[in-house]
Amino acid sequence: MTPGARRAWSARLALLLAALAGLWLIVAAAIHGLWVFLLVAAVLVLVVSAAYWFLAERGWRRTAALVVLVGVPVVAVVLLVISGLLVPLVVAVGLLVVALGAGREALAPPSGPERMPEYAAPPPRRPFIVMNPRSGGGKVARFDLRARAEALGAEVAMLEGPEQIDVAELARQAVARGADLLGVAGGDGTQALVAGVAADHDVPLLVISAGTRNHFALDLGLDREDPSTCLAALGEDAVELHVDLGTIAGRTFVNNASFGAYAAAVQSPGYREDKARTTLDVLPDLLSGQKGPRLTLRVDGVVVDQPQAVLVSDNPYGMGDLAGLGRRARLDTGRLGVVSVSAASARQAVGLLRGTTLNGLVAVTAPEVEIAADAPEIPVGIDGEAVMVPTPVRCSVRPGALLVRVPRDRPGVPARRPHWSWAELRRLARFSHHRTAA
C-alpha cells in the first residue's frame, strides 16, 4: 500500500469513527432523553465558573468554589451510572480517541522531525562558559560540569558568592579577551543575558541545560535530564542553528515576556519560596481589576483593552494541537507569538468556551507588539525574572540574530505535529489509487 493510500484509509477511519461516536450519542439520547446533553453542558459551565471563582475569590468563597469544582463532576458521574448512561458515554469517548489517533496519522506531515536548518562550523578555540552552581538544585556540581568543560578546553567562570554579578558584563569581558564562544549553565534568565552579548558580538552561544525548567534547551532539542551531554557541542560533531532573539525595552529574551496576572505574581516577595500560594494570594485583586495597572494590547491591527494576562514569546508556541502546547517547534520564523486572555468574570470565562467573549482569547503572530498601561512602569516576567519596565512596552524580534552551537545528535528534536482539519481529512478520504497510477 502506498503512503497516499495509507493516509486515505486513516482519514476514512477517522471520519467513520467520529460519525459512529456522534450517532451513538444520538441513539443514547433518544433512548434515555436529551437531559444527558443538558447535563454535560451544565457540568462544563459549572466547572469553568467554579475554576474562575477559585482563582478570583478568597476565604470561604474559594473553599465553596473548590467544593463545586470537585463535587459537580462526581455527582454527574453518579447520575450517569444510575441512569445507565456512563457506558455509552465512555464508548463514545473511546471512539473519538481512536478517531483522533487515526486522524493524526492521516494528517501527519510526510517528512520526519521538523528541524531548523543546521550549519557546519569549526569547533571553538577559546570557549568561555558561565556556570551558576545554585541553578537547577545544584546540577553543575551533580554532573561535574566545571571539570568536564575545562577538560574540553573551556574557561569557566562560577557565579559564586553573595554579591550580585553582572553576567552580561562578564560575557563582554570574555569576548574582549578573545573568547569565540559564550556558554551558560544556568536558568533561562541567565541564558538570555549572555545570548544578547553573543548576538551583539556575532559569536555562538552554548546552552547547557543546568536550570530548573530549561525551556530554551527544550525547544533546541537538548537533553534536559543530563546537562553534560550539551558539552558535546564543544567538539567536532556539532552544528550551528540561526535562531531569533526577542527584545523588550533594550533587554533580550529567549523564551517569553509575560504581562498581567503572572507578571504581578512573579513580583511578589514570596513567589520564589511558594509559587502556588503566592499566585493564589494575588490573583483575586488582579482578576477583578482592583489591583495592578490597566493594560492595552496592540498587535497586528488588533486592540485588546484590559486583558488579564498577555504572553509574548520569541516565536509562537504550538496552539493547533494539545500535544504541542508548551514548546516551540521552530525558533527561526522571524515572528513573535502573542497570546492574551480576557476574562473579568465567571460569565466571561464561560464565554471563552463558546467564543462569545469579545477578544477573550487572542492568539496571533507578529514582528512587533505594544503593551500600553495607565502606569509609568509595569511588572514584566522576562524569561521568569521579575523586571519593572517603563511604558509603553514594545517587543520585537531580531530574526536569525543568535548563533547557537548544539550537538548534532539531540534527543529532543520535536516531531512534526499535524494541524487538525476536518476539511483536509475529507479531502484525503477521497484519495483514489487509480489517480496515482494514471
Side-chain angles (χ1 to χ4, degrees), residues 80-159:
L80 291 172
V81 170
I82 293 174
S83 304
L85 282 169
L86 184 61
V87 172
L89 279 179
V90 169
V91 170
V93 171
L95 288 171
L96 284 175
V97 169
V98 178
L100 290 173
R104 287 172 58 83
E105 182 71 22
L107 295 169
S111 59
E114 183 172 12
R115 304 180 75 105
M116 291 181 285
E118 300 176 351
Y119 302 88
R125 297 185 306 275
R126 298 187 62 181
F128 174 82
I129 303 176
V130 175
M131 294 189 178
N132 185 351
R134 296 179 296 276
S135 186
K139 285 184 179 179
V140 169
R142 194 183 323 146
F143 290 92
D144 198 19
L145 296 180
R146 179 175 187 173
R148 293 188 182 195
E150 290 177 339
L152 293 170
E155 177 188 352
V156 177
M158 302 293 288
L159 302 180

Side-chain angles (χ1 to χ4, degrees), residues 131-389:
M131 294 189 178
N132 185 351
R134 296 179 296 276
S135 186
K139 285 184 179 179
V140 169
R142 194 183 323 146
F143 290 92
D144 198 19
L145 296 180
R146 179 175 187 173
R148 293 188 182 195
E150 290 177 339
L152 293 170
E155 177 188 352
V156 177
M158 302 293 288
L159 302 180
E160 297 176 310
E163 68 277 3
Q164 187 73 23
I165 298 176
D166 188 337
V167 177
E169 181 59 28
L170 201 64
R172 281 189 286 267
Q173 292 174 4
V175 174
R177 294 195 305 269
D180 59 352
L181 177 142
L182 297 176
V184 186
D188 290 323
T190 306
Q191 289 171 358
L193 292 173
V194 178
V197 178
D200 290 341
H201 292 84
D202 199 29
V203 299
L205 177 74
L206 170 65
V207 175
I208 303 173
S209 55
T212 302
R213 295 178 180 83
N214 300 296
H215 291 304
F216 190 41
L218 168 70
D219 296 329
L220 291 170
L222 299 172
D223 188 343
R224 296 192 299 169
E225 300 303 320
D226 185 357
S228 66
T229 60
C230 301
L231 293 172
L234 294 174
E236 295 282 351
D237 195 21
V239 294
E240 283 185 359
L241 307 176
H242 297 180
V243 307
D244 306 333
L245 198 58
T247 64
I248 172 174
R251 178 173 173 146
T252 58
F253 63 95
V254 294
N255 289 325
N256 55 60
S258 57
F259 303 80
Y262 176 72
V266 172
Q267 289 280 341
S268 299
Y271 181 78
R272 293 292 180 186
E273 289 72 27
D274 193 340
K275 296 181 180 181
R277 181 180 293 277
T278 302
T279 302
L280 289 175
D281 284 344
V282 302
L283 274 179
D285 291 336
L286 295 169
L287 293 177
S288 65
Q290 297 176 11
K291 186 178 181 181
R294 181 189 180 101
L295 304 180
T296 301
L297 168 67
R298 296 185 178 93
V299 55
D300 199 25
V302 177
V303 178
V304 182
D305 187 45
Q306 207 170 0
Q308 267 64 48
V310 178
L311 184 75
V312 179
S313 59
D314 177 15
N315 285 265
Y317 289 99
M319 295 295 290
D321 179 10
L322 286 176
L325 293 176
R327 72 178 304 170
R328 299 160 291 177
R330 300 292 296 259
L331 296 170
D332 59 349
T333 67
R335 309 277 288 181
L336 298 171
V338 185
V339 178
S340 78
V341 178
S342 302
S345 66
R347 180 179 179 180
Q348 291 184 4
V350 173
L352 292 178
L353 285 179
R354 300 164 51 201
T356 57
T357 298
L358 182 62
N359 287 333
L361 177 63
V362 174
V364 297
T365 65
E368 293 183 345
V369 180
E370 180 183 285
I371 294 92
D374 60 353
E377 60 179 13
I378 58 174
V380 184
I382 303 177
D383 284 337
E385 301 291 329
V387 182
M388 294 299 294
V389 178

